[in-house]
Amino acid sequence: MFHWLEKNPFFFAVGVFLVIAYAGIVTILPDFMESARPVTGTKPYTVLELAGRHVYIKDSCNACHSQLIRPFKSETDRYGMYSLSGEYAYDRPFLWGSKRTGPDLMRVGNYRTTDWHEYHMLDPISVVPGSIMPAYKHMFKNNADIETAYAEALTVKKVFNVPYDQADMPQLGTYDESKKAVMEQAAAIVADMKSTEVKEAFKRGEIKEIVALIAYLNSLK
Amino acid sequence: MQAKDALNYDYSVAKCFTYAAILFGIVGMLIGVVIAYQMAFPELNYLAGEYGTYSRLRPLHTSGVIFGFLLSGIFATWYYVGQRVLKVSMAESPFLMIVGKLHFWLYMILMTIAVVNLFMGIGTSKEYAELEWPLDILVVVVWVLWGFSIFGLVGIRREKTLYISMWYYIATFLGVAMLYLFNNMEVPTYFVAGMGKWYHSVSMYAGSNDAMVQWWYGHNAVAFVFTVPIIAMIYYFLPKESGQPVFSYKLSLLSFWGLMFVYLWAGGHHLIYSTVPDWVQTMGSIFSIVLILPSWGSAINMLLTMKGQWGQLKENPLVKFMVFASTFYMLSTLEGPIQSIKSVNALAHFTDWIPGHVHDGTLGWVGFMTMAALYHMAPRMYKRELYSKKLMESQFWIQTTGIVMYFSSMWIAGITQGMMWRATDQFGNLAYSFIDTVTVLIPYYALRATGGLLYLIGFFMFTYNMYKTMTASKAIESEPQNASPMAA
Amino acid sequence: MEMETIRELQAYGYIFATIFLSVIMYGYLYHLYKAEKKGTRNYEQYANIALNDNIDDAPIESRTPSNKEKE
């Protein structure tokens, strides 16, 4: 039997495939239902926050910042309550990261404010002396992509039954309705910001990447 | 099949992929050195505006060296080794020649678009699987073409039994295919919502599930790109270059199945103390330890192949590269399991020890083996002797120094960082603010970057040596049986 | 299906597969040595596939007998 396998490349390949696939089937599949259940109080992201999440991904913030607080005292003291599986139920993709060159951001919304983020993105050393993080000035120039964010929200609502448009949950509605909600949420953030560039652009109806990103970071609690 | 005087192995595709490996090696490693220096000297982030920040470049570095340099190296050696161990020439099948060429050109197109995309920040954020869905489809096409090439060649082979390297190449093909497909399951949003960017997609998995799938992929991408095909290479090139048959062919077969069975279970060690189920974490940890056995099985087999022939290390730099590679394989396959032990992981996870571990595997094992393989192939493909042995010797020592600087500085940095994160004062309060744990590491970051720079310099020496071998070296009459001919 | 039933099935599936594959592994080891002792197979000769790999070297084992005659 063994020798036969060695001489029949096709069945050999099938054998290898079964051996390597088995682990995945056992470890991954059975937990899908259970770990997908959200913790009470966890809400899907609003469209503006999603747009900010896209900025976070576009600039690979997750290359240096984790979003996963491990259950140790040293971590809960530093970052707050340790992470629960259900808190990530609406994270597509997950953004746990694999390296903490900078601090964890899982609950950054609890202890940083809009203007802190604004200074920090313009010039990290101005708020954190010694920081090695680069400045992200281009976020003050580029516009956030609200349409794609809305498209994503609508997609997860339709395909994965993410509870948008339900009681106590973010409302999506049509694109125009959603755009209005986005402008409202953005207005509050822009009001807290100093940058005249961002403020003037907002008057023209443009939402800069930085606004969306701050909305996202503030939502991390 | 008849006129055997005229029949020769056809290396045209192998040559193309050799050039690609060198090109992407330079690009990927250069970016690596730049981002390493950015960590020590943050001003370097502003060399190219939005496109030059650490965070944009980091996925380019990882994708560049994994899917550019290494994958090209794997394909190059496949189009070389495959023909030889199956004793069949690609020239015998016009179909396979076309498949091979198409494979190469589609791969180049894919890589070019991928590089542009990553510079622009278009991606899904999943590590080592950043590409968006249109490119994922192209990846699948390229991969299927490679499959045609493998199984097509196997189909017309003369040698009935598949040599052990073939097993590993086939496993690479199957493993990566499975992992890539499942990890990149995503829904293009444009087709559901009818608006937004057409290439944007959203992952089919959410939160902890996504993390589990990602690290099942991430860990095993390491298995099937950094380990399995490199073992395929060393099982061919070390015996061939040294003229020694594999120490124990039986052991090589056994380690193969051992590796296939054990590797896939170990992905959970990336998620220790995270929110995935406890048993997944424990299993990942246990299987990582078990993984030492098949890994060392292959590595020891390689070292024992050189039994009684250690003199070759002195005479032949290629043997030196390969023996060093298998030694580093042993080191990193011991280090990895140690980091998977829960209490060690609590300290090591998220620190610089992890990139340190990755790089002593990739620089020492993967990089050295791939360069040695390409060196070995050059005299046979270009019918010229290797240009300079001296250059090769100095390359070896410069790169070795680089590797040692790299991993030793990252070990110290990682452990320092981990200890400082958890350090408390006499009242139980955290002793250091986060920024303290960053600034203290800057000397180590500088040291690491310099180690990387040395490795890059070595790679340029490799490139120069290869270029001179292709163009200016002395021609050889017949193909060398074992040791590659080289000018002093 | 209930989560607990799934868990149970999973545990059994895992245990049996591990035992099954371990048995196969050791069976394979046994087979390797036995085949060599009985003289039915010499596995070590396959190591020469890498060493004698010129296109006109004779294959260790030809795929078809007719092929072998031609070479």
Side-chain angles (χ1 to χ4, degrees):
Chain A
M1 165 194 145
F2 294 113
H3 197 68
W4 171 79
L5 208 56
E6 281 151 21
K7 285 190 179 149
N8 281 284
F10 175 74
F11 291 100
F12 168 77
V14 173
V16 172
F17 187 76
L18 287 181
V19 172
I20 57 182
Y22 191 75
I25 294 170
V26 171
T27 36
I28 299 178
L29 282 185
D31 281 288
F32 260 52
M33 291 190 292
E34 199 176 51
S35 23
R37 207 172 293 151
V39 170
T40 321
T42 307
K43 288 180 183 176
Y45 297 102
T46 66
V47 172
L48 184 65
E49 288 158 11
L50 263 186
R53 203 163 188 272
H54 292 165
V55 177
Y56 190 96
I57 289 172
K58 181 180 171 196
D59 273 301
S60 290
C61 302
N62 54 306
C64 292
H65 294 279
S66 59
Q67 285 191 25
L68 175 77
I69 303 169
R70 296 178 294 169
F72 309 139
K73 185 171 181 299
S74 60
E75 301 227 335
T76 51
D77 280 3
R78 203 184 285 282
Y79 306 117
M81 164 73 182
Y82 59 82
S83 309
L84 301 174
S85 186
E87 292 180 282
Y88 300 110
Y90 304 119
D91 279 15
R92 293 171 192 267
F94 79 114
L95 291 172
W96 293 0
S98 56
K99 176 82 200 325
R100 266 183 203 152
T101 306
D104 190 275
L105 300 179
M106 173 91 190
R107 304 189 196 286
V108 71
N110 285 338
Y111 47 87
R112 296 284 186 233
T113 53
T114 299
D115 56 339
W116 189 91
H117 285 305
E118 184 185 2
Y119 289 129
H120 190 235
M121 292 296 164
L122 270 178
D123 183 14
I125 302 175
S126 70
V127 276
V128 186
S131 171
I132 59 170
M133 177 170 145
Y136 287 91
K137 295 197 173 72
H138 62 263
M139 289 179 185
F140 292 77
K141 304 228 155 49
N142 300 346
N143 284 337
D145 187 347
I146 306 297
E147 286 194 13
T148 304
Y150 176 79
E152 182 176 319
L154 195 63
T155 305
V156 294
K157 182 191 164 193
K158 280 186 180 166
V159 181
F160 304 111
N161 293 322
V162 171
Y164 283 108
D165 291 325
Q166 294 179 9
D168 288 335
M169 290 290 176
Q171 302 300 307
L172 221 49
T174 64
Y175 178 69
D176 291 331
E177 288 164 5
S178 172
K179 186 73 195 272
K180 235 172 95 191
V182 166
M183 293 309 271
E184 265 170 44
Q185 194 182 0
I189 292 167
V190 172
D192 285 343
M193 291 177 68
K194 307 275 178 303
S195 163
T196 47
E197 197 182 357
V198 172
K199 281 177 189 289
E200 264 162 38
F202 187 70
K203 273 184 208 148
R204 294 196 301 272
E206 291 169 26
I207 298 173
K208 295 292 168 193
E209 284 185 336
I210 185 73
V211 179
L213 182 72
I214 292 176
Y216 171 62
L217 292 174
N218 286 343
S219 79
L220 296 173
K221 283 178 179 170
Chain B
M1 286 198 182
Q2 296 84 12
K4 68 180 170 193
D5 310 314
L7 190 58
N8 264 312
Y9 293 124
D10 190 310
Y11 297 132
S12 42
V13 184
K15 283 179 193 169
C16 289
F17 276 113
T18 303
Y19 307 137
I22 293 174
L23 171 73
F24 289 124
I26 291 174
V27 175
M29 292 180 202
L30 184 67
I31 296 178
V33 172
V34 170
I35 62 177
Y37 274 113
Q38 284 178 342
M39 291 180 80
F41 308 104
E43 306 77 39
L44 293 173
N45 276 296
Y46 312 117
L47 297 177
E50 172 180 350
Y51 308 103
T53 55
Y54 176 92
S55 57
R56 281 286 171 88
L57 294 180
R58 197 255 180 184
L60 269 165
H61 166 61
T62 52
S63 295
V65 290
I66 300 174
F67 302 117
F69 166 64
L70 183 52
L71 215 49
S72 298
I74 294 168
F75 291 148
T77 59
W78 153 254
Y79 280 105
Y80 177 91
V81 174
Q83 300 181 63
R84 301 192 67 113
V85 297
L86 298 171
K87 287 205 183 64
V88 58
S89 169
M90 281 182 68
E92 290 173 57
S93 164
F95 171 71
L96 288 179
M97 278 308 284
I98 293 172
V99 168
K101 298 237 158 98
L102 198 62
H103 177 203
F104 174 73
W105 286 110
L106 274 184
Y107 168 81
M108 287 306 279
I109 293 171
L110 166 69
M111 285 305 293
T112 315
I113 307 176
V115 166
V116 173
N117 267 3
L118 292 177
F119 264 119
M120 289 167 65
I122 297 169
T124 60
S125 92
K126 285 190 159 194
E127 276 180 80
Y128 327 123
E130 284 95 351
L131 303 181
E132 274 291 3
W133 67 268
L135 287 180
D136 287 338
I137 292 173
L138 199 52
V139 170
V140 172
V141 173
V142 168
W143 208 254
V144 168
L145 281 173
W146 189 40
F148 271 121
S149 154
I150 294 180
F151 289 100
L153 212 56
V154 165
I156 59 168
R157 71 193 190 277
R158 292 212 177 76
E159 185 72 69
K160 193 170 178 189
T161 305
L162 300 184
Y163 184 62
I164 183 71
S165 294
M166 283 300 302
W167 294 30
Y168 279 103
Y169 280 119
I170 292 175
T172 304
F173 170 76
L174 292 171
V176 174
M178 171 184 81
L179 296 162
Y180 198 84
L181 277 179
F182 282 98
N183 190 38
N184 284 289
M185 287 293 164
E186 51 213 3
V187 184
T189 53
Y190 182 78
F191 297 113
V192 179
M195 65 193 311
K197 295 196 190 85
W198 65 274
Y199 49 77
H200 183 74
S201 67
V202 58
S203 173
M204 291 250 278
Y205 320 112
S208 302
N209 288 336
D210 198 34
M212 262 211 289
V213 177
Q214 160 63 25
W215 285 112
W216 172 74
Y217 165 84
H219 172 72
N220 296 306
V222 172
F224 286 94
V225 181
F226 283 170
T227 309
V228 173
I230 314 297
I231 298 179
M233 289 182 201
I234 201 165
Y235 269 127
Y236 173 81
F237 288 105
L238 184 62
K240 183 69 182 168
E241 178 72 25
S242 67
Q244 301 298 307
V246 175
F247 168 71
S248 164
Y249 196 76
K250 289 190 284 294
L251 178 57
S252 72
L253 300 182
L254 205 64
S255 326
F256 172 83
W257 287 110
L259 199 73
M260 288 304 115
F261 175 48
V262 178
Y263 225 126
L264 274 285
W265 297 89
H269 66 216
H270 288 261
L271 300 169
I272 292 175
Y273 291 116
S274 78
T275 65
V276 305
D278 238 1
W279 64 270
V280 172
Q281 303 177 19
T282 309
M283 196 158 66
S285 179
I286 291 171
F287 271 96
S288 304
I289 310 245
V290 179
L291 194 53
I292 298 176
L293 286 173
S295 309
W296 280 43
S298 300
I300 286 174
N301 210 353
M302 281 303 112
L303 294 180
L304 285 176
T305 297
M306 295 310 295
K307 199 172 66 171
Q309 293 288 325
W310 292 104
Q312 287 198 23
L313 242 65
K314 246 165 124 184
E315 295 147 20
N316 189 343
L318 289 193
V319 173
K320 196 152 68 182
F321 270 108
M322 289 192 256
V323 168
F324 183 87
S326 40
T327 318
F328 256 81
Y329 181 51
M330 289 179 81
L331 172 72
S332 51
T333 51
L334 182 65
E335 187 186 16
I338 291 175
Q339 291 179 331
S340 306
I341 299 169
K342 275 193 162 186
S343 50
V344 180
N345 192 273
L347 178 79
H349 194 52
F350 289 137
T351 72
D352 282 301
W353 192 5
I354 307 298
H357 163 63
V358 174
H359 282 85
D360 56 42
T362 47
L363 301 177
W365 156 242
V366 175
F368 270 31
M369 187 57 228
T370 310
M371 287 188 292
L374 296 179
Y375 268 143
H376 173 96
M377 286 155 59
R380 283 123 181 128
M381 292 195 299
Y382 300 101
K383 316 267 183 284
R384 290 170 189 272
E385 60 179 23
L386 285 167
Y387 177 68
S388 168
K389 182 178 173 182
K390 255 195 217 125
L391 198 60
M392 225 182 276
E393 290 277 357
S394 17
Q395 180 202 339
F396 176 85
W397 288 112
I398 289 175
Q399 292 196 313
T400 305
T401 315
I403 298 171
V404 173
M405 277 171 74
Y406 196 113
F407 74 75
S408 53
S409 60
M410 286 298 95
W411 282 354
I412 302 173
I415 293 171
T416 308
Q417 200 176 24
M419 296 302 275
M420 284 176 81
W421 283 344
R422 59 163 71 163
T424 49
D425 63 14
Q426 68 220 34
F427 308 108
N429 300 316
L430 293 173
Y432 300 101
S433 68
F434 193 90
I435 191 66
D436 296 335
T437 72
V438 177
T439 45
V440 72
L441 300 180
I442 287 178
Y444 302 111
Y445 284 153
L447 204 62
R448 179 262 292 269
T450 309
L453 180 65
L454 288 181
Y455 197 88
L456 178 69
I457 291 172
F459 196 79
F460 277 119
M461 294 164 83
F462 164 75
T463 308
Y464 178 75
N465 215 344
M466 286 293 279
Y467 173 71
K468 283 299 208 180
T469 302
M470 290 170 200
T471 54
S473 203
K474 203 175 92 201
I476 47 176
E477 251 128 70
S478 62
E479 192 184 274
Q481 184 61 27
N482 298 123
S484 305
M486 50 190 85
Chain C
M1 224 179 333
E2 281 300 300
M3 204 59 215
E4 275 184 22
T5 340
I6 297 179
R7 278 270 179 275
E8 208 165 304
L9 287 178
Q10 192 178 12
Y12 280 119
Y14 166 64
I15 293 280
F16 285 127
T18 309
I19 293 173
F20 175 70
L21 286 168
S22 308
V23 168
I24 296 241
M25 273 287 277
Y26 282 98
Y28 188 51
L29 183 66
Y30 177 74
H31 157 84
L32 287 176
Y33 279 92
K34 192 161 163 234
E36 202 167 282
K37 220 172 192 174
K38 281 200 335 210
T40 46
R41 286 253 80 77
N42 177 7
Y43 274 96
E44 296 305 329
Q45 67 173 345
Y46 297 133
N48 293 322
I49 296 178
L51 295 177
N52 306 320
D53 62 347
N54 284 328
I55 192 112
D56 38 11
D57 283 338
I60 306 291
E61 285 168 0
S62 214
R63 192 146 165 242
T64 52
S66 61
N67 230 353
K68 202 171 192 175
E69 283 157 22
K70 261 192 227 161
E71 296 288 322

